[in-house]
């Protein structure tokens, strides 16, 4: 399984943006005002994934035989080979984390596309329609929340990679 590709995320975001713009073009006057903090749950999910990713990253590095040294360089750990500690990472946990990260990245791309489509519709109308001015701020907050969610998901996915062995490139989870 490879890392999430940017072009896949871009395609999802583009499709979502086109659908959102079309829906708003057809039905904007019938929709209620968008909740101002609608993008906040996505941001909270992204922050949670980033925190979980950081913990998983540190546990994987600690169990790989190398620990981050001063300045972030990898240094060999001193210990008895084959001993498992309380920080041992279950491979199934890593597989689940990668699955969650990939799904969250696609969801964040879809949310981002929806907010981009909303922005494309309301931005030019913000001077003429009062609701569009409020929805513009909501869409900007939503887009920021989607970006935080995407960053958290991509960090979680990359945290699941094992460090490279001597002379090899990084392996993928």
């Amino acid at each position: 399984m490879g890392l999430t590709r940017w072009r896949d995320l871009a395609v999802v975001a583009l499709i979502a943006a086109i659908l959102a713009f079309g829906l708003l073009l057809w039905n904007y006057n019938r929709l209620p005002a968008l909740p101002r903090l609608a993008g906040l749950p996505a941001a909270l999910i992204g922050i949670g994934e980033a925190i979980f990713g950081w913990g998983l990253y540190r546990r994987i590095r600690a169990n790989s035989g190398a620990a981050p040294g001063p300045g972030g360089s990898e240094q060999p750990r001193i210990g008895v080979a084959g001993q498992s500690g309380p920080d041992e990472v279950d491979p199934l946990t890593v597989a689940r984390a990668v699955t969650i990260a990939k799904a969250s990245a696609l969801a964040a791309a879809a949310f981002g596309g929806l907010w981009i489509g909303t922005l494309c519709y309301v931005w030019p109308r913000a001077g003429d329609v009062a609701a569009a001015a409020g929805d513009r701020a909501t869409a900007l907050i939503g887009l920021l929340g989607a970006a935080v969610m995407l960053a958290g998901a991509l960090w979680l996915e990359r945290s699941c990679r094992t460090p490279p062995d001597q002379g090899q490139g990084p392996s993928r989870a």
Side-chain angles (χ1 to χ4, degrees), residues 99-129:
T99 303
I100 289 169
K102 286 185 164 295
S104 293
L106 288 172
F111 289 150
L114 290 172
W115 291 119
I116 289 171
T118 302
L119 273 174
C120 288
Y121 183 82
V122 299
W123 198 281
R125 292 162 181 81
D128 301 333
V129 180

Side-chain angles (χ1 to χ4, degrees), residues 10-116:
V11 167
V12 170
L14 180 65
I15 291 170
I18 291 169
L19 290 174
F21 186 84
L23 176 69
L24 292 174
L25 189 63
W26 182 51
N27 262 349
Y28 186 70
N29 59 348
R30 293 185 225 162
L31 293 176
L34 298 174
R36 182 60 48 124
L37 299 177
L40 187 61
L44 293 176
I45 289 170
I47 291 168
E49 286 179 330
I51 291 169
F52 179 63
W54 180 250
L56 199 56
Y57 174 85
R58 295 192 48 97
R59 288 174 57 197
I60 288 172
R61 296 309 177 277
N63 287 320
S64 69
S73 62
E74 300 282 332
Q75 296 179 350
R77 273 183 74 218
I78 300 172
V80 179
Q83 279 189 340
S84 62
D87 287 343
E88 180 123 356
V89 181
D90 182 25
L92 207 54
T93 300
V94 174
R96 288 177 182 149
V98 170
T99 303
I100 289 169
K102 286 185 164 295
S104 293
L106 288 172
F111 289 150
L114 290 172
W115 291 119
I116 289 171

Side-chain angles (χ1 to χ4, degrees), residues 8 10 12 23 31 38 68 71 76 96 105 130 139 150 154 158 166-167:
D8 296 340
V12 170
L23 176 69
L31 293 176
R96 288 177 182 149
L150 180 62
L154 293 177
R158 279 153 180 78
Q166 293 284 340

